[in-house]
Amino acid sequence: KMQRGRQGSVLALLLLGAQVGAVWVNGTQKGVVKPLRLFMCITGQAERLETTSKLENFVKAQHAKGHIVDVAAVLDPRSDPRYVNHIQLEIDDFSKAEDPLEIFKPYTRYTSHVVYTQPENPEVPTRYRDGLMKDSKPNLDPNERAQNHVRQFASIERCDDVMMDLEWKAGEKYDEVLRIRDDGYILAPFPLINEMEEEDKPDIVTQKCDNWFGVNDKAALMTRASARSYFQGFFKEVFLRTPDKDTHNPETLTLSMFKHEGLKFKEVCEEFPVTCLRGRIKDGNACLHMRMLDCWNQTFENMGFNVTNTALPWCDSDVHFWDYPPQLKSVQ
C-alpha cells in the first residue's frame, strides 16, 4: 500500500510538472516544451558599448516570447581606442561606475561582465598582415590593423569560456547564441534559427549587407552546436591554418574560417537587421553606419522600415558615398 502511495505521488508530481512546463511561445501554447535558452555575448570596449537596441530588439523581444535570456559582455575598460574604428562612443545607458549590464537584468536570468584588458602588442602572423595590405585602407598601418583584429578575436574567444561557465551555473546548455560587437545596433527584432523552416535551418545567420566580399562579422546568430567552432575558429584561422588566398580583411577571414570549420551559414537581410554605430551619442552626432546602399535600401523596403524614424540617423558620409560598387550577391 505504501509503495502504491509513493507511485501515486510521483505520478502527481509528473503531471504537475507537465502542466508547469507548458509555455507560450509566439502567442501559441506549444504544450509540454521548455522555453528556448538564449545567450548573447557582447565583445569590445566599454567606451563603445551600445545597449538600448540590444535590450529592446533582442533581450526584451525574446523575453516576451517566454524564452530564457542570459547576457555576457567581454569588455576592455580602457578609454583609448583598441580597435580599427577609432571613434569612441559616449556610454549612453550607464556610467563607468555601474555594471554595464544592469539595464538587462530585469529581463535576464544571468548576466556576466568580463573585464578583459586587451594585449598591448599581440603577435600577428606575417601572412595575415600581408593580406591586409591588399585591402584599400591606405590610412591604416597594416600591422596595427592586424593587431587590432587579433584583439577582437581574443575577446570573441573569451565568449566561449563565459558561455560554458553560465551553462554550468544553470545546469543546462543554451539552444542559440548571439555574438555581437559593442557598437552593434539591432534595428528591429528578428527570428531565431529555431523559428525557421526545418529544411532552411543553418548553423549560423549573418547580415548580407556590408559583407565586404566575405561574411559580415559585426554579429552572428548561431546554434549552440556551432558556437564553440565560431568562438575558437578565428584564432585557429589566423595562427594554425592558411586562410583562403583572397583573405584581406576580417570579413573574408570569417568566410575562410566558416569553410574550414564546416559551418553552414546563411546570409540574410531583413531577417537579421544588424548594423553598427559611428559618432558620439553625447554630442548628438551618432549615426547608423551602413555602406552598401543598394543592399540596405532593398532591405528597408522589404521590411517596410523607414530609417528616418529610428532614434539615430543614417550617417551622411555613407548616404553620399556613391563610389562603392553595389554588392547584392551573396558569397555563398
Side-chain angles (χ1 to χ4, degrees):
K1 187 181 290 186
M2 185 177 294
Q3 184 66 25
R4 285 198 301 270
R6 287 201 188 103
Q7 290 173 346
S9 298
V10 170
L11 180 60
L13 286 171
L14 289 173
L15 289 173
L16 177 61
Q19 291 172 352
V20 172
V23 298
W24 290 78
V25 179
N26 297 328
T28 304
Q29 193 174 17
K30 295 293 186 179
V32 187
V33 295
K34 291 183 179 180
L36 295 176
R37 294 150 299 190
L38 310 175
F39 173 61
M40 175 170 69
C41 191
I42 307 166
T43 58
Q45 291 179 255
E47 284 288 324
R48 305 196 328 168
L49 180 61
E50 185 279 334
T51 58
T52 301
S53 76
K54 298 174 182 70
L55 172 68
E56 296 295 331
N57 293 323
F58 182 70
V59 175
K60 278 189 178 181
Q62 300 306 331
H63 179 268
K65 295 178 185 178
H67 299 321
I68 297 169
V69 186
D70 294 339
V71 176
V74 181
L75 302 173
D76 191 309
R78 292 171 292 183
S79 59
D80 57 312
R82 311 301 301 169
Y83 295 132
V84 175
N85 301 304
H86 292 179
I87 302 176
Q88 295 178 16
L89 289 172
E90 181 68 19
I91 302 174
D92 56 329
D93 297 313
F94 57 92
S95 75
K96 293 180 183 179
E98 297 173 345
D99 180 354
L101 303 183
E102 188 69 33
I103 193 172
F104 296 110
K105 289 184 178 179
Y107 309 96
T108 55
R109 177 180 55 178
Y110 302 126
T111 62
S112 178
H113 175 208
V114 179
V115 178
Y116 180 54
T117 303
Q118 296 289 342
E120 284 292 337
N121 190 31
E123 179 184 353
V124 175
T126 302
R127 63 180 180 277
Y128 182 63
R129 183 199 61 207
D130 292 347
L132 293 180
M133 295 177 70
K134 301 181 219 171
D135 204 11
S136 55
K137 289 196 175 182
N139 57 319
L140 295 175
D141 175 77
N143 191 65
E144 180 185 353
R145 190 176 172 211
Q147 287 185 322
N148 287 333
H149 294 166
V150 169
R151 293 187 184 104
Q152 292 179 42
F153 303 152
S155 295
I156 292 172
E157 188 180 53
R158 289 296 299 269
C159 286
D160 188 51
D161 295 333
V162 69
M163 176 182 69
M164 291 192 295
D165 286 345
L166 291 179
E167 287 179 332
W168 178 266
K169 185 175 181 178
E172 56 186 5
K173 284 194 172 185
Y174 294 110
D175 296 294
E176 294 190 30
V177 173
L178 172 66
R179 178 260 156 184
I180 186 167
R181 255 172 42 173
D182 46 12
D183 62 348
Y185 195 90
I186 304 173
L187 295 165
F190 51 83
L192 299 171
I193 294 173
N194 272 274
E195 295 168 343
M196 297 179 179
E197 295 296 328
E198 195 62 39
E199 63 275 10
D200 246 3
K201 289 181 179 177
D203 298 319
I204 296 182
V205 172
T206 63
Q207 169 57 236
K208 179 180 176 181
C209 303
D210 291 350
N211 60 17
W212 299 102
F213 308 104
V215 174
N216 188 316
D217 67 331
K218 297 176 180 67
L221 178 69
M222 65 201 81
T223 63
R224 173 59 179 85
S226 60
R228 295 207 74 189
S229 294
Y230 176 89
F231 290 144
Q232 298 180 358
F234 292 97
F235 265 169
K236 286 183 184 177
E237 196 67 18
V238 169
F239 290 101
L240 301 180
R241 298 182 182 133
T242 301
D244 290 350
K245 62 180 180 180
D246 294 328
T247 298
H248 60 275
N249 58 23
E251 290 83 2
T252 49
L253 181 86
T254 302
L255 174 60
S256 179
M257 184 267 282
F258 281 6
K259 290 178 179 178
H260 289 148
E261 290 289 335
L263 296 170
K264 176 186 174 184
F265 70 100
K266 184 177 183 180
E267 291 186 297
V268 298
C269 294
E270 58 269 21
E271 296 93 345
F272 194 58
V274 181
T275 183
C276 65
L277 298 182
R278 290 291 181 270
R280 288 178 63 90
I281 291 174
K282 181 180 180 180
D283 296 339
N285 62 0
C287 57
L288 303 173
H289 181 51
M290 300 173 286
R291 301 306 290 266
M292 295 181 181
L293 304 184
D294 290 354
C295 186
W296 283 111
N297 280 324
Q298 185 62 56
T299 297
F300 296 150
E301 182 179 333
N302 294 345
M303 292 172 65
F305 182 84
N306 187 345
V307 70
T308 61
N309 292 336
T310 60
L312 298 170
W314 196 336
C315 296
D316 286 340
S317 60
D318 296 339
V319 174
H320 301 296
F321 186 81
W322 299 107
D323 295 330
Y324 187 81
Q327 184 184 358
L328 294 176
K329 67 180 182 178
S330 168
V331 297
Q332 294 167 279

